[in-house]
Amino acid sequence: MNPRTRISRLSQSIAILSLAFLWLPLFVVVAFSFEPEAAAVNLTGFTLKWYGIIWEQGGMLSALKHSLELGLGSATLGTVFGALLAVGLHRYRGRGFAILALIVYLPIVMPDVIYGISQMVFFNYMYKLIGWPQAGLITMGIAHISFQRPYVALVVYARLVGLDRNLVHAAADLYASPLKSLYAFWLPVLKPALIAGFLLAFTLSLDDFVISFFTGGPGSVTLPIYIWGSIARHGITPETNAIGSLLIGAVLLAALAQTFIRARRSGHLSSAIE
């Protein structure tokens, strides 16, 4: 066996082990969500009763509602503010740009626990000073928007950097007003980046636990906090596995839908070229 073949087989083995390491825990969660016995350590049968039980629990449905409200609301505002931040960074690329970019992107590299504690302390001082905001979905939304903006700005800024400046000048030469340039040029050009930024911000919000835990209130329990509380009180139960399986299924469906849409668009583009 020559060295090139050995390296190829070694790389294939590493890739297979890596995929198994990523997917095996997910498979275990899904498999044990169908286990009839609550305390079983081996698979002994098949049942769907745990999925019915979790939908009968009002706390889980309320947590899911809070997560969706928080995710959609914060992702929408985070996308708007992040896009504006990216436009500002793109226009101001003079001296001191590196320091400005570092300040903007600092929340990305900052540990979540430090960011969450700082947000909690800030909101507590604000509430004592002016009586607003009270801990709940509002404080969680503000905190989520603040850490979503750099991610959206990074995506939109990458799109702006690759944009030909002559297109902007051409729109002005054709007497396009700023408002007309916005919906006739900027929005179509930035649409893929805005959609990607929104999906990224929504995913970050739906998945967040640490920042939500520090900035939330008694009546603003999100799904990650609900799952953590359930595990802390009762340990890992089939209901917890069922909730995790539903989340895994939702992510897979979203990924498959995105792949299908891209495939259709690529097919239309190929047929148009031909």
Side-chain angles (χ1 to χ4, degrees):
M1 184 182 298
N2 57 52
R4 183 173 299 178
T5 304
R6 290 179 181 175
I7 295 175
S8 177
R9 291 188 177 181
L10 178 61
S11 61
Q12 291 177 0
S13 301
I14 293 175
I16 293 173
L17 291 175
S18 300
L19 291 176
F21 181 78
L22 291 174
W23 284 97
L24 187 58
L26 302 179
F27 174 77
V28 171
V29 170
V30 175
F32 275 92
S33 67
F34 302 111
E35 168 58 42
E37 301 296 332
V41 294
N42 297 314
L43 297 176
T44 60
F46 181 88
T47 183
L48 294 174
K49 68 178 182 179
W50 307 115
Y51 290 89
I53 290 175
I54 62 174
W55 290 111
E56 295 173 358
Q57 297 174 352
M60 197 279 291
L61 294 178
S62 177
L64 177 61
K65 179 183 176 182
H66 289 159
S67 292
L68 293 177
E69 291 177 349
L70 179 63
L72 293 174
S74 63
T76 301
L77 294 177
T79 302
V80 174
F81 294 143
L84 294 175
L85 184 60
V87 172
L89 287 173
H90 183 256
R91 290 190 175 183
Y92 179 78
R93 288 186 292 177
R95 184 176 300 177
F97 174 79
I99 299 177
L100 179 61
L102 176 63
I103 296 174
V104 171
Y105 298 138
L106 189 60
I108 295 178
V109 299
M110 184 179 297
D112 288 347
V113 63
I114 297 177
Y115 196 76
I117 292 175
S118 64
Q119 291 281 340
M120 179 187 66
V121 173
F122 173 76
F123 290 138
N124 285 337
Y125 275 114
M126 290 293 295
Y127 184 76
K128 292 179 181 179
L129 186 63
I130 62 176
W132 186 90
Q134 188 175 4
L137 285 178
I138 294 180
T139 54
M140 295 170 71
I142 296 174
H144 281 212
I145 293 170
S146 64
F147 78 77
Q148 288 169 350
R149 286 182 305 168
Y151 290 94
V152 177
L154 188 63
V155 175
V156 177
Y157 180 77
R159 178 69 173 173
L160 289 171
V161 169
L163 185 65
D164 188 359
R165 288 180 172 268
N166 292 326
L167 298 176
V168 182
H169 298 318
D173 292 340
L174 294 174
Y175 303 100
S177 63
L179 182 61
K180 191 171 184 179
S181 298
L182 176 64
Y183 71 81
F185 174 72
W186 287 109
L187 289 181
V189 169
L190 297 179
K191 182 180 177 180
L194 293 175
I195 294 176
F198 174 84
L199 294 177
L200 178 60
F202 177 75
T203 303
L204 291 171
S205 175
L206 190 65
D207 179 65
D208 180 73
F209 169 77
V210 176
I211 296 177
S212 299
F213 181 80
F214 283 108
T215 58
S220 58
V221 176
T222 58
L223 194 56
I225 297 177
Y226 176 84
I227 294 174
W228 175 83
S230 177
I231 295 176
R233 291 191 301 268
H234 310 294
I236 300 177
T237 61
E239 293 95 327
T240 305
N241 293 329
I243 295 174
S245 299
L246 291 176
L247 293 176
I248 293 171
V251 172
L252 287 178
L253 288 177
L256 291 174
Q258 184 180 14
T259 303
F260 177 74
I261 293 174
R262 285 185 177 181
R264 289 197 61 182
R265 288 181 177 178
S266 299
H268 291 323
L269 181 60
S270 300
S271 60
I273 294 175
E274 292 176 357

